[in-house]
Amino acid sequence: MPQMNRDQRNAAWQAAHQWRARAAQSRPTGVMGSVKLLLTWLAFGALMIVGMVLGLIFLLIGWAMMPFVRHKMKKRMEQMRAEQAQDIGGGYASQRHASSQNQASHGHRPHQDVLEGSYEVKDEPRH
């Protein structure tokens, strides 16, 4: 079987041949086709330039806003730390009362409290 016949029956070869024929038909011919091609490239280039300028502007705006956002986040973290801080001088009961009020105001579930009592560690019997 000759090589040419086998390739002509191949679906991929036929699709490539049809694509090549369509590409040859769509090539600009004459002055009008060249003008269209030139205008298409100019429009594409202009859109690329506009896109890059807009991207650069948004990048610079983002960089300019970073110190303000950082300051705002820093203030928010300080406020959260102040809300979670406990009174050092108070006893266990005052801390427990303050933390339960703090959690109730923020809608958190209360922590499970530690069981109070006296504990004794016994030595293991020696054998």
mmCIF file of all heavy atoms in Angstrom, residues 70-105:
data_model
loop_
_atom_site.group_PDB
_atom_site.id
_atom_site.type_symbol
_atom_site.label_atom_id
_atom_site.label_comp_id
_atom_site.label_asym_id
_atom_site.label_seq_id
_atom_site.Cartn_x
_atom_site.Cartn_y
_atom_site.Cartn_z
ATOM 1 N N ARG A 70 -2.430 48.108 56.680
ATOM 2 C CA ARG A 70 -1.595 47.576 57.764
ATOM 3 C C ARG A 70 -1.907 48.289 59.071
ATOM 4 O O ARG A 70 -2.021 47.665 60.127
ATOM 5 C CB ARG A 70 -0.124 47.758 57.402
ATOM 6 C CG ARG A 70 0.813 47.164 58.408
ATOM 7 C CD ARG A 70 2.261 47.313 57.933
ATOM 8 N NE ARG A 70 3.178 46.746 58.876
ATOM 9 C CZ ARG A 70 3.739 47.425 59.876
ATOM 10 N NH1 ARG A 70 3.466 48.708 60.022
ATOM 11 N NH2 ARG A 70 4.558 46.842 60.709
ATOM 12 N N HIS A 71 -2.064 49.619 59.025
ATOM 13 C CA HIS A 71 -2.382 50.393 60.226
ATOM 14 C C HIS A 71 -3.743 49.971 60.783
ATOM 15 O O HIS A 71 -3.898 49.795 61.994
ATOM 16 C CB HIS A 71 -2.374 51.886 59.886
ATOM 17 C CG HIS A 71 -2.733 52.768 61.037
ATOM 18 N ND1 HIS A 71 -1.884 52.971 62.099
ATOM 19 C CD2 HIS A 71 -3.854 53.493 61.303
ATOM 20 C CE1 HIS A 71 -2.473 53.783 62.962
ATOM 21 N NE2 HIS A 71 -3.669 54.108 62.503
ATOM 22 N N LYS A 72 -4.704 49.780 59.901
ATOM 23 C CA LYS A 72 -6.045 49.374 60.333
ATOM 24 C C LYS A 72 -6.015 47.986 60.976
ATOM 25 O O LYS A 72 -6.635 47.763 62.019
ATOM 26 C CB LYS A 72 -6.988 49.382 59.126
ATOM 27 C CG LYS A 72 -8.433 49.110 59.460
ATOM 28 C CD LYS A 72 -9.295 49.203 58.217
ATOM 29 C CE LYS A 72 -10.749 48.922 58.521
ATOM 30 N NZ LYS A 72 -11.578 48.986 57.330
ATOM 31 N N MET A 73 -5.283 47.056 60.374
ATOM 32 C CA MET A 73 -5.180 45.704 60.930
ATOM 33 C C MET A 73 -4.448 45.717 62.263
ATOM 34 O O MET A 73 -4.801 44.976 63.185
ATOM 35 C CB MET A 73 -4.454 44.783 59.944
ATOM 36 C CG MET A 73 -5.215 44.540 58.652
ATOM 37 S SD MET A 73 -6.780 43.716 58.898
ATOM 38 C CE MET A 73 -6.234 42.097 59.321
ATOM 39 N N LYS A 74 -3.443 46.571 62.382
ATOM 40 C CA LYS A 74 -2.704 46.676 63.638
ATOM 41 C C LYS A 74 -3.617 47.174 64.750
ATOM 42 O O LYS A 74 -3.600 46.645 65.871
ATOM 43 C CB LYS A 74 -1.524 47.633 63.435
ATOM 44 C CG LYS A 74 -0.503 47.609 64.537
ATOM 45 C CD LYS A 74 0.677 48.489 64.138
ATOM 46 C CE LYS A 74 1.722 48.514 65.210
ATOM 47 N NZ LYS A 74 2.837 49.377 64.868
ATOM 48 N N LYS A 75 -4.434 48.180 64.456
ATOM 49 C CA LYS A 75 -5.381 48.694 65.447
ATOM 50 C C LYS A 75 -6.384 47.616 65.843
ATOM 51 O O LYS A 75 -6.744 47.476 67.009
ATOM 52 C CB LYS A 75 -6.130 49.920 64.903
ATOM 53 C CG LYS A 75 -5.281 51.148 64.776
ATOM 54 C CD LYS A 75 -4.982 51.688 66.143
ATOM 55 C CE LYS A 75 -4.244 53.010 66.025
ATOM 56 N NZ LYS A 75 -3.814 53.509 67.312
ATOM 57 N N ARG A 76 -6.857 46.845 64.859
ATOM 58 C CA ARG A 76 -7.824 45.781 65.137
ATOM 59 C C ARG A 76 -7.203 44.708 66.036
ATOM 60 O O ARG A 76 -7.843 44.203 66.958
ATOM 61 C CB ARG A 76 -8.308 45.164 63.835
ATOM 62 C CG ARG A 76 -9.445 44.172 64.043
ATOM 63 C CD ARG A 76 -9.928 43.583 62.740
ATOM 64 N NE ARG A 76 -10.501 44.600 61.878
ATOM 65 C CZ ARG A 76 -10.795 44.415 60.610
ATOM 66 N NH1 ARG A 76 -10.555 43.242 60.049
ATOM 67 N NH2 ARG A 76 -11.329 45.370 59.893
ATOM 68 N N MET A 77 -5.944 44.355 65.775
ATOM 69 C CA MET A 77 -5.268 43.359 66.612
ATOM 70 C C MET A 77 -5.076 43.878 68.027
ATOM 71 O O MET A 77 -5.247 43.138 69.004
ATOM 72 C CB MET A 77 -3.914 42.980 66.002
ATOM 73 C CG MET A 77 -4.027 42.107 64.774
ATOM 74 S SD MET A 77 -4.873 40.550 65.068
ATOM 75 C CE MET A 77 -3.756 39.763 66.200
ATOM 76 N N GLU A 78 -4.721 45.152 68.174
ATOM 77 C CA GLU A 78 -4.574 45.728 69.514
ATOM 78 C C GLU A 78 -5.900 45.695 70.260
ATOM 79 O O GLU A 78 -5.946 45.409 71.449
ATOM 80 C CB GLU A 78 -4.064 47.165 69.411
ATOM 81 C CG GLU A 78 -2.608 47.271 69.019
ATOM 82 C CD GLU A 78 -2.175 48.714 68.803
ATOM 83 O OE1 GLU A 78 -2.988 49.634 69.044
ATOM 84 O OE2 GLU A 78 -1.025 48.905 68.397
ATOM 85 N N GLN A 79 -6.991 45.981 69.552
ATOM 86 C CA GLN A 79 -8.308 45.949 70.184
ATOM 87 C C GLN A 79 -8.674 44.527 70.604
ATOM 88 O O GLN A 79 -9.183 44.321 71.711
ATOM 89 C CB GLN A 79 -9.356 46.482 69.209
ATOM 90 C CG GLN A 79 -10.759 46.535 69.788
ATOM 91 C CD GLN A 79 -11.777 46.996 68.757
ATOM 92 O OE1 GLN A 79 -11.451 47.198 67.599
ATOM 93 N NE2 GLN A 79 -13.010 47.150 69.186
ATOM 94 N N MET A 80 -8.372 43.547 69.765
ATOM 95 C CA MET A 80 -8.668 42.159 70.119
ATOM 96 C C MET A 80 -7.845 41.717 71.321
ATOM 97 O O MET A 80 -8.345 41.030 72.216
ATOM 98 C CB MET A 80 -8.403 41.235 68.930
ATOM 99 C CG MET A 80 -9.439 41.346 67.843
ATOM 100 S SD MET A 80 -9.034 40.396 66.374
ATOM 101 C CE MET A 80 -8.917 38.746 67.043
ATOM 102 N N ARG A 81 -6.569 42.112 71.375
ATOM 103 C CA ARG A 81 -5.724 41.759 72.525
ATOM 104 C C ARG A 81 -6.256 42.400 73.790
ATOM 105 O O ARG A 81 -6.251 41.792 74.859
ATOM 106 C CB ARG A 81 -4.291 42.216 72.264
ATOM 107 C CG ARG A 81 -3.532 41.311 71.357
ATOM 108 C CD ARG A 81 -2.048 41.650 71.364
ATOM 109 N NE ARG A 81 -1.392 40.962 70.263
ATOM 110 C CZ ARG A 81 -0.756 41.555 69.277
ATOM 111 N NH1 ARG A 81 -0.662 42.866 69.249
ATOM 112 N NH2 ARG A 81 -0.196 40.853 68.327
ATOM 113 N N ALA A 82 -6.716 43.654 73.685
ATOM 114 C CA ALA A 82 -7.239 44.342 74.859
ATOM 115 C C ALA A 82 -8.522 43.667 75.349
ATOM 116 O O ALA A 82 -8.759 43.581 76.558
ATOM 117 C CB ALA A 82 -7.515 45.805 74.529
ATOM 118 N N GLU A 83 -9.349 43.176 74.435
ATOM 119 C CA GLU A 83 -10.575 42.496 74.840
ATOM 120 C C GLU A 83 -10.280 41.170 75.521
ATOM 121 O O GLU A 83 -10.990 40.754 76.430
ATOM 122 C CB GLU A 83 -11.476 42.265 73.623
ATOM 123 C CG GLU A 83 -12.126 43.508 73.106
ATOM 124 C CD GLU A 83 -12.905 43.257 71.816
ATOM 125 O OE1 GLU A 83 -12.867 42.121 71.300
ATOM 126 O OE2 GLU A 83 -13.540 44.203 71.329
ATOM 127 N N GLN A 84 -9.229 40.491 75.085
ATOM 128 C CA GLN A 84 -8.917 39.184 75.645
ATOM 129 C C GLN A 84 -8.044 39.257 76.891
ATOM 130 O O GLN A 84 -7.863 38.255 77.565
ATOM 131 C CB GLN A 84 -8.222 38.322 74.590
ATOM 132 C CG GLN A 84 -9.144 37.929 73.466
ATOM 133 C CD GLN A 84 -8.445 37.082 72.413
ATOM 134 O OE1 GLN A 84 -7.236 36.886 72.496
ATOM 135 N NE2 GLN A 84 -9.190 36.612 71.447
ATOM 136 N N ALA A 85 -7.501 40.425 77.188
ATOM 137 C CA ALA A 85 -6.622 40.555 78.345
ATOM 138 C C ALA A 85 -7.418 40.356 79.634
ATOM 139 O O ALA A 85 -8.585 40.725 79.746
ATOM 140 C CB ALA A 85 -5.966 41.930 78.342
ATOM 141 N N GLN A 86 -6.783 39.749 80.629
ATOM 142 C CA GLN A 86 -7.437 39.511 81.915
ATOM 143 C C GLN A 86 -6.747 40.347 82.978
ATOM 144 O O GLN A 86 -5.580 40.701 82.871
ATOM 145 C CB GLN A 86 -7.354 38.028 82.280
ATOM 146 C CG GLN A 86 -8.139 37.150 81.335
ATOM 147 C CD GLN A 86 -8.025 35.681 81.717
ATOM 148 O OE1 GLN A 86 -7.230 35.322 82.562
ATOM 149 N NE2 GLN A 86 -8.821 34.856 81.068
ATOM 150 N N ASP A 87 -7.489 40.628 84.029
ATOM 151 C CA ASP A 87 -6.961 41.414 85.145
ATOM 152 C C ASP A 87 -5.943 40.576 85.898
ATOM 153 O O ASP A 87 -6.261 39.513 86.420
ATOM 154 C CB ASP A 87 -8.120 41.822 86.056
ATOM 155 C CG ASP A 87 -7.653 42.716 87.179
ATOM 156 O OD1 ASP A 87 -6.537 43.261 87.067
ATOM 157 O OD2 ASP A 87 -8.400 42.866 88.156
ATOM 158 N N ILE A 88 -4.707 41.069 85.995
ATOM 159 C CA ILE A 88 -3.647 40.310 86.651
ATOM 160 C C ILE A 88 -3.858 40.282 88.160
ATOM 161 O O ILE A 88 -3.630 39.275 88.819
ATOM 162 C CB ILE A 88 -2.265 40.912 86.312
ATOM 163 C CG1 ILE A 88 -2.000 40.751 84.824
ATOM 164 C CG2 ILE A 88 -1.162 40.253 87.110
ATOM 165 C CD1 ILE A 88 -0.777 41.449 84.345
ATOM 166 N N GLY A 89 -4.332 41.378 88.721
ATOM 167 C CA GLY A 89 -4.481 41.462 90.170
ATOM 168 C C GLY A 89 -5.667 40.679 90.713
ATOM 169 O O GLY A 89 -5.711 40.332 91.883
ATOM 170 N N GLY A 90 -6.650 40.361 89.908
ATOM 171 C CA GLY A 90 -7.854 39.686 90.393
ATOM 172 C C GLY A 90 -7.601 38.218 90.658
ATOM 173 O O GLY A 90 -6.653 37.613 90.181
ATOM 174 N N GLY A 91 -8.465 37.619 91.445
ATOM 175 C CA GLY A 91 -8.364 36.201 91.747
ATOM 176 C C GLY A 91 -8.987 35.375 90.640
ATOM 177 O O GLY A 91 -9.408 35.880 89.613
ATOM 178 N N TYR A 92 -9.087 34.072 90.923
ATOM 179 C CA TYR A 92 -9.627 33.154 89.935
ATOM 180 C C TYR A 92 -11.096 33.448 89.665
ATOM 181 O O TYR A 92 -11.554 33.407 88.539
ATOM 182 C CB TYR A 92 -9.436 31.708 90.417
ATOM 183 C CG TYR A 92 -10.019 30.703 89.467
ATOM 184 C CD1 TYR A 92 -9.389 30.397 88.270
ATOM 185 C CD2 TYR A 92 -11.225 30.082 89.749
ATOM 186 C CE1 TYR A 92 -9.937 29.498 87.390
ATOM 187 C CE2 TYR A 92 -11.779 29.175 88.872
ATOM 188 C CZ TYR A 92 -11.133 28.876 87.700
ATOM 189 O OH TYR A 92 -11.687 27.994 86.828
ATOM 190 N N ALA A 93 -11.846 33.780 90.696
ATOM 191 C CA ALA A 93 -13.279 34.021 90.540
ATOM 192 C C ALA A 93 -13.536 35.250 89.667
ATOM 193 O O ALA A 93 -14.415 35.238 88.818
ATOM 194 C CB ALA A 93 -13.947 34.190 91.892
ATOM 195 N N SER A 94 -12.744 36.317 89.864
ATOM 196 C CA SER A 94 -12.967 37.522 89.057
ATOM 197 C C SER A 94 -12.582 37.277 87.601
ATOM 198 O O SER A 94 -13.225 37.774 86.692
ATOM 199 C CB SER A 94 -12.189 38.711 89.631
ATOM 200 O OG SER A 94 -10.805 38.484 89.491
ATOM 201 N N GLN A 95 -11.532 36.471 87.374
ATOM 202 C CA GLN A 95 -11.137 36.147 86.010
ATOM 203 C C GLN A 95 -12.205 35.304 85.332
ATOM 204 O O GLN A 95 -12.525 35.509 84.165
ATOM 205 C CB GLN A 95 -9.814 35.384 86.000
ATOM 206 C CG GLN A 95 -8.623 36.231 86.364
ATOM 207 C CD GLN A 95 -7.351 35.409 86.419
ATOM 208 O OE1 GLN A 95 -7.396 34.198 86.276
ATOM 209 N NE2 GLN A 95 -6.234 36.072 86.651
ATOM 210 N N ARG A 96 -12.754 34.364 86.078
ATOM 211 C CA ARG A 96 -13.774 33.483 85.525
ATOM 212 C C ARG A 96 -15.023 34.288 85.161
ATOM 213 O O ARG A 96 -15.597 34.106 84.097
ATOM 214 C CB ARG A 96 -14.090 32.406 86.558
ATOM 215 C CG ARG A 96 -14.956 31.313 86.056
ATOM 216 C CD ARG A 96 -14.936 30.191 87.042
ATOM 217 N NE ARG A 96 -16.284 29.644 87.138
ATOM 218 C CZ ARG A 96 -16.682 28.821 88.065
ATOM 219 N NH1 ARG A 96 -15.869 28.467 89.015
ATOM 220 N NH2 ARG A 96 -17.901 28.343 88.066
ATOM 221 N N HIS A 97 -15.396 35.230 86.041
ATOM 222 C CA HIS A 97 -16.577 36.059 85.803
ATOM 223 C C HIS A 97 -16.344 36.966 84.589
ATOM 224 O O HIS A 97 -17.197 37.099 83.724
ATOM 225 C CB HIS A 97 -16.882 36.893 87.061
ATOM 226 C CG HIS A 97 -18.085 37.789 86.904
ATOM 227 N ND1 HIS A 97 -19.361 37.298 86.779
ATOM 228 C CD2 HIS A 97 -18.188 39.139 86.825
ATOM 229 C CE1 HIS A 97 -20.199 38.306 86.645
ATOM 230 N NE2 HIS A 97 -19.501 39.442 86.665
ATOM 231 N N ALA A 98 -15.154 37.565 84.506
ATOM 232 C CA ALA A 98 -14.839 38.459 83.391
ATOM 233 C C ALA A 98 -14.798 37.690 82.072
ATOM 234 O O ALA A 98 -15.291 38.154 81.049
ATOM 235 C CB ALA A 98 -13.504 39.160 83.630
ATOM 236 N N SER A 99 -14.217 36.484 82.096
ATOM 237 C CA SER A 99 -14.116 35.734 80.845
ATOM 238 C C SER A 99 -15.490 35.241 80.401
ATOM 239 O O SER A 99 -15.779 35.197 79.212
ATOM 240 C CB SER A 99 -13.127 34.573 80.975
ATOM 241 O OG SER A 99 -13.742 33.433 81.475
ATOM 242 N N SER A 100 -16.354 34.884 81.334
ATOM 243 C CA SER A 100 -17.690 34.432 80.925
ATOM 244 C C SER A 100 -18.505 35.606 80.370
ATOM 245 O O SER A 100 -19.270 35.445 79.433
ATOM 246 C CB SER A 100 -18.428 33.771 82.089
ATOM 247 O OG SER A 100 -18.702 34.716 83.100
ATOM 248 N N GLN A 101 -18.303 36.812 80.932
ATOM 249 C CA GLN A 101 -18.994 37.981 80.391
ATOM 250 C C GLN A 101 -18.457 38.315 79.001
ATOM 251 O O GLN A 101 -19.203 38.644 78.086
ATOM 252 C CB GLN A 101 -18.807 39.194 81.313
ATOM 253 C CG GLN A 101 -19.693 39.181 82.528
ATOM 254 C CD GLN A 101 -19.464 40.432 83.363
ATOM 255 O OE1 GLN A 101 -18.463 41.113 83.223
ATOM 256 N NE2 GLN A 101 -20.406 40.711 84.256
ATOM 257 N N ASN A 102 -17.143 38.229 78.841
ATOM 258 C CA ASN A 102 -16.507 38.521 77.562
ATOM 259 C C ASN A 102 -17.011 37.573 76.482
ATOM 260 O O ASN A 102 -17.342 37.986 75.384
ATOM 261 C CB ASN A 102 -14.988 38.370 77.714
ATOM 262 C CG ASN A 102 -14.225 39.458 77.007
ATOM 263 O OD1 ASN A 102 -14.822 40.366 76.449
ATOM 264 N ND2 ASN A 102 -12.914 39.347 77.035
ATOM 265 N N GLN A 103 -17.093 36.290 76.824
ATOM 266 C CA GLN A 103 -17.521 35.300 75.845
ATOM 267 C C GLN A 103 -19.005 35.439 75.541
ATOM 268 O O GLN A 103 -19.432 35.234 74.416
ATOM 269 C CB GLN A 103 -17.208 33.895 76.338
ATOM 270 C CG GLN A 103 -15.723 33.624 76.352
ATOM 271 C CD GLN A 103 -15.387 32.361 77.107
ATOM 272 O OE1 GLN A 103 -16.255 31.772 77.730
ATOM 273 N NE2 GLN A 103 -14.133 31.971 77.065
ATOM 274 N N ALA A 104 -19.794 35.785 76.531
ATOM 275 C CA ALA A 104 -21.225 35.944 76.291
ATOM 276 C C ALA A 104 -21.479 37.135 75.369
ATOM 277 O O ALA A 104 -22.366 37.097 74.525
ATOM 278 C CB ALA A 104 -21.954 36.143 77.619
ATOM 279 N N SER A 105 -20.670 38.195 75.521
ATOM 280 C CA SER A 105 -20.879 39.365 74.673
ATOM 281 C C SER A 105 -20.458 39.097 73.232
ATOM 282 O O SER A 105 -20.948 39.717 72.312
ATOM 283 C CB SER A 105 -20.121 40.576 75.227
ATOM 284 O OG SER A 105 -18.730 40.358 75.124
#
